[in-house]
Amino acid sequence: KEKKKEKINEKDINDLNEISDLSFPSYGVKLSVLQEIMNNEKFTSEMTTTDVCNTIIKIATETKKCSYVDLLRANEMNSNDHNLTGKANIFVSHAWAYKFSDVIDSLEQISINNDEYYFWFDMVCVNQHGTATRPQEWWSTTFMSAISSLNNVIIILSPWNSPIHLKRAWCLWELYCSVSTKSNIQIVMPKIQKEHFIETLFSNFEDILKKICDIDVINAQSFLVNDQEMILKTVREKVGISKINKIIIKEIQNWILSVALDEIKKRDENNENIDSSFSILLNQVGSLFQQQGKYSD
């Protein structure tokens, strides 16, 4: 005989919240959870992730004072739907100033026909009520270990010609942790931004390198000055300003090269006419390979 499910009580959800806050919240959500947020009656297309957090997420979790993912997990205990949350297996690195619709647009591009992702998206995975300040050591140990454990990271860049992500201290630290732990990194953009980016690859490759690779963690900003100072202190002690800049710039350059090579291959396979822009791009890609010492490529 099937046992009757017990309704979750206040202590249960408090226990869920406490477990999530012990070190690094380990549960993530399916993309459908994030997509559903845009169906909320309070959602508008101009909302940033910060707006969504303040207008929708905090209100939804106000009573329980828990993270959104813990609220969902509690609800799943009282229903037959246990697929919305699970152990996170991919970390989303984004800027809270992005339009939330652009974030979803970007994530949809890597999740087509793939139902195995449980996204670690801080807005829903972290308790947004009085979020505790983590000590400096936490970011260089626990956080980096968590990135290594997830082993899959999505970096969202927008707009293509001046990505907010690469001007934020937290985002640069996340990118560095992803590279240093040898995680699988996917860099994505909203669809229309990607189209403009590819167009410019062929028309002005050097401009792309100049604009996107203008990275310096010293000039990176943070919403809280204390956070910015803490990140810079961690960088200086653990890596070094010059070294982290070189590591991040090389990763972005490698991504640009991979996109360029993919587009060159597509056009070649489709037997498209090779015009001057195509030849110029080939030469510039070769030049960047040489700068990186990749002569065999």
Side-chain angles (χ1 to χ4, degrees):
K1 186 177 180 179
E2 184 179 353
K3 290 185 179 180
K4 184 178 179 181
K5 286 185 177 179
E6 296 181 1
K7 293 292 181 182
I8 193 161
N9 56 35
E10 193 75 24
K11 181 179 181 300
D12 292 328
I13 199 164
N14 286 340
D15 287 345
L16 282 174
N17 191 32
E18 181 181 354
I19 290 170
S20 292
D21 285 342
L22 286 176
S23 54
F24 186 89
S26 60
Y27 279 81
V29 298
K30 286 289 184 66
L31 178 59
S32 60
V33 171
L34 301 176
Q35 291 170 319
E36 184 62 27
I37 290 173
M38 295 200 299
N39 292 327
N40 188 288
E41 61 181 9
K42 295 179 180 178
F43 179 80
T44 66
S45 60
E46 295 302 308
M47 279 185 166
T48 64
T49 299
T50 298
D51 295 331
V52 171
C53 182
N54 291 332
T55 306
I56 299 174
I57 300 302
K58 282 189 175 181
I59 291 176
T61 56
E62 177 64 30
T63 301
K64 302 300 184 181
K65 293 290 192 296
C66 65
S67 70
Y68 194 68
V69 71
D70 282 345
L71 186 68
L72 292 176
R73 289 176 62 206
N75 291 337
E76 285 181 337
M77 290 180 183
N78 297 322
S79 71
N80 293 322
D81 188 357
H82 297 277
N83 295 317
L84 297 179
T85 68
K87 293 299 287 289
N89 51 19
I90 190 161
F91 180 90
V92 181
S93 180
H94 66 104
W96 281 58
Y98 287 157
K99 287 183 180 180
F100 188 69
S101 57
D102 282 345
V103 172
I104 300 304
D105 183 350
S106 300
L107 296 180
E108 286 174 341
Q109 294 183 57
I110 65 99
S111 298
I112 295 174
N113 299 325
N114 193 327
D115 200 35
E116 301 301 317
Y117 287 134
Y118 284 99
F119 294 92
W120 197 97
F121 191 74
D122 51 4
M123 183 187 74
V124 298
C125 295
V126 175
N127 187 343
Q128 299 301 326
H129 300 278
T131 304
T133 301
R134 307 290 186 181
Q136 180 184 342
E137 295 76 17
W138 190 88
W139 293 102
S140 59
T141 55
T142 304
F143 180 77
M144 188 172 288
S145 295
I147 293 293
S148 178
S149 177
L150 290 171
N151 197 42
N152 293 293
V153 177
I154 296 175
I155 308 291
I156 300 177
L157 298 185
S158 182
W160 77 263
N161 56 350
S162 184
I164 299 173
H165 188 284
L166 302 180
K167 295 176 173 60
R168 294 291 188 266
W170 283 125
C171 297
L172 292 179
W173 179 250
E174 291 167 358
L175 181 49
Y176 166 71
C177 289
S178 305
V179 174
S180 64
T181 57
K182 294 180 171 56
S183 297
N184 300 314
I185 299 173
Q186 298 181 62
I187 297 179
V188 295
M189 292 178 173
K191 186 175 181 181
I192 192 164
Q193 292 289 329
K194 182 70 174 291
E195 291 173 355
H196 291 322
F197 172 76
I198 291 173
E199 287 176 7
T200 311
L201 269 178
F202 285 89
S203 63
N204 201 338
F205 184 79
E206 289 183 350
D207 191 48
I208 284 183
L209 290 179
K210 181 179 178 181
K211 288 180 176 178
I212 299 185
C213 296
D214 182 20
I215 299 169
D216 190 344
V217 70
I218 284 288
N219 298 323
Q221 301 173 346
S222 177
F223 181 73
L224 297 176
V225 176
N226 289 343
D227 285 351
Q228 187 175 7
E229 292 174 348
M230 184 272 293
I231 293 172
L232 286 177
K233 184 181 180 188
T234 302
V235 168
R236 286 190 175 101
E237 293 178 357
K238 303 293 182 180
V239 192
I241 298 297
S242 178
K243 184 176 180 180
I244 196 172
N245 286 340
K246 289 178 180 178
I247 290 172
I248 293 174
I249 289 172
K250 184 175 181 180
E251 184 65 26
I252 297 301
Q253 286 180 339
N254 287 340
W255 169 71
I256 293 173
L257 283 171
S258 69
V259 175
L261 289 173
D262 283 345
E263 289 303 311
I264 289 171
K265 182 178 180 181
K266 286 179 186 176
R267 298 196 179 198
D268 183 53
E269 290 176 346
N270 293 333
N271 295 317
E272 295 186 23
N273 292 328
I274 298 179
D275 55 17
S276 59
S277 64
F278 188 92
S279 300
I280 291 172
L281 178 60
L282 283 175
N283 289 331
Q284 290 176 327
V285 166
S287 177
L288 184 53
F289 272 129
Q290 286 185 332
Q291 290 176 33
Q292 293 186 342
K294 299 177 180 179
Y295 299 103
S296 60
D297 295 336

